[in-house]
């Protein structure tokens, strides 16, 4: 089934496009078994895409403490405990577009959030911090996706995970596209319980210098100009992990591309 966007017909075309793309990518995550049950979460910074008159639609507010810099932000966000696979055709139930008030003390739901007891993902703090970082640094990145790419998660249990430089070389060396499409590599973030401020801070620190963050024994997160790019970062990085694990399972340690060959890719 395809996402029905009739309820979005009065929204800006770019907003509709973002949500349709979320629906498409959610299908990929489910097919790849990266978003079991209620795991994973997605957000998109929609600030600046709504006309000023949108504020007149805001009615009931839900108290929530945000960083003061988030005042006035518009955000698409998936719900806590919701299944990402339902984004394919039931997005209004499992996700919402929220508007943060001007004092950053509450939000209002502009669209969606129709499931009983809906509230934004428990990782909302991390998402907000990433969006604020991207906006402050003019990265152009608007989408954030967290999922459980199988092979990356497996490698986060391996001793290789503790040597970030070697970890990235081990992924990059498997084929040229991994170095080309994930040039800043994967940031390896030590285990911290999900939903905590500490995890949010570690994630932001890792994203400052990397394309993907791998949370030890948990999952991975990436951000991009839209959902497709964010997904691509995870997909390509995980391809490197999958190739490495396949080589190991076949009983050999792959030689891979040399450092000089990897440098040549970046310099061409």
């Amino acid at each position: 089934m395809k996402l029905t966007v009739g309820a979005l017909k009065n929204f800006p075309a770019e907003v509709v496009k973002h949500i349709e793309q979320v629906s498409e990518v959610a299908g990929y995550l489910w097919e790849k078994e990266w978003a079991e049950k209620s795991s994973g979460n997605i957000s998109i910074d929609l600030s600046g895409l709504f006309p000023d008159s949108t504020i007149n639609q805001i009615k009931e507010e839900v108290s929530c403490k945000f960083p003061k810099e988030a005042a006035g932000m518009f955000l698409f966000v998936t719900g806590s405990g919701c299944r990402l696979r339902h984004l394919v055709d039931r997005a209004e139930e499992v996700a919402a577009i929220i508007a943060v008030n001007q004092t950053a003390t509450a939000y209002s739901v502009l669209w969606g959030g129709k499931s009983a007891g809906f509230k934004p993902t428990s990782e909302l703090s991390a998402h907000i911090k990433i969006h604020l970082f991207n906006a402050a640094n003019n990265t152009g990145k608007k989408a954030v996706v967290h999922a459980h790419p199988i092979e990356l998660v497996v490698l986060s249990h391996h001793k290789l995970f503790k040597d970030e430089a070697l970890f990235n070389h081990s992924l990059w060396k498997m084929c040229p596209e991994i170095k080309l499409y994930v040039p800043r590599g994967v940031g390896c973030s030590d285990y911290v319980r999900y939903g905590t401020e500490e995890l949010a801070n570690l994630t932001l620190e890792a994203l400052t210098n990397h394309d993907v963050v791998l949370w030890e024994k948990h999952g991975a997160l990436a951000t991009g100009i839209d959902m497709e790019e964010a997904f691509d970062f995870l997909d390509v990085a995980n391809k490197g992990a999958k190739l490495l694990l396949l080589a190991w399972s076949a009983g050999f340690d792959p030689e891979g591309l040399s450092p000089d060959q990897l440098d040549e890719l970046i310099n061409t």
Side-chain angles (χ1 to χ4, degrees), residues 150-162:
I150 295 171
E151 287 79 11
L152 280 174
V153 173
V154 170
L155 283 186
S156 79
H157 289 259
H158 193 276
K159 63 181 180 180
L160 182 65
F161 180 82
K162 297 299 183 180

Side-chain angles (χ1 to χ4, degrees), residues 133-195:
F133 171 84
N134 283 334
N137 290 279
N138 298 310
T139 67
K141 295 181 176 182
K142 299 291 186 180
V144 176
V145 58
H146 159 54
H148 297 167
I150 295 171
E151 287 79 11
L152 280 174
V153 173
V154 170
L155 283 186
S156 79
H157 289 259
H158 193 276
K159 63 181 180 180
L160 182 65
F161 180 82
K162 297 299 183 180
D163 186 335
E164 189 174 89
L166 182 58
F167 184 94
N168 278 295
H169 176 73
S170 298
L171 300 186
W172 285 330
K173 74 179 184 180
M174 296 310 299
C175 70
E177 284 74 15
I178 298 166
K179 180 63 174 178
L180 287 173
Y181 299 148
V182 191
R184 300 193 306 157
V186 176
C188 298
S189 182
D190 290 342
Y191 181 82
V192 175
R193 187 176 65 82
Y194 71 90

Side-chain angles (χ1 to χ4, degrees), residues 63-121:
S63 295
C64 186
K65 185 178 180 181
F66 294 96
K68 63 180 181 179
E69 296 85 359
M73 176 180 282
F74 287 83
L75 193 72
F76 172 93
V77 62
T78 50
S80 176
C82 295
R83 294 165 172 82
L84 291 193
R85 65 178 181 265
H86 290 169
L87 286 167
V88 174
D89 57 0
R90 294 157 59 180
E92 285 186 87
E93 296 178 22
V94 299
I97 296 175
I98 64 173
V100 180
N101 69 8
Q102 295 302 318
T103 56
T105 57
Y107 68 87
S108 298
V109 176
L110 295 183
W111 171 89
K114 292 187 175 181
S115 60
F118 178 90
K119 59 181 180 179
T121 170

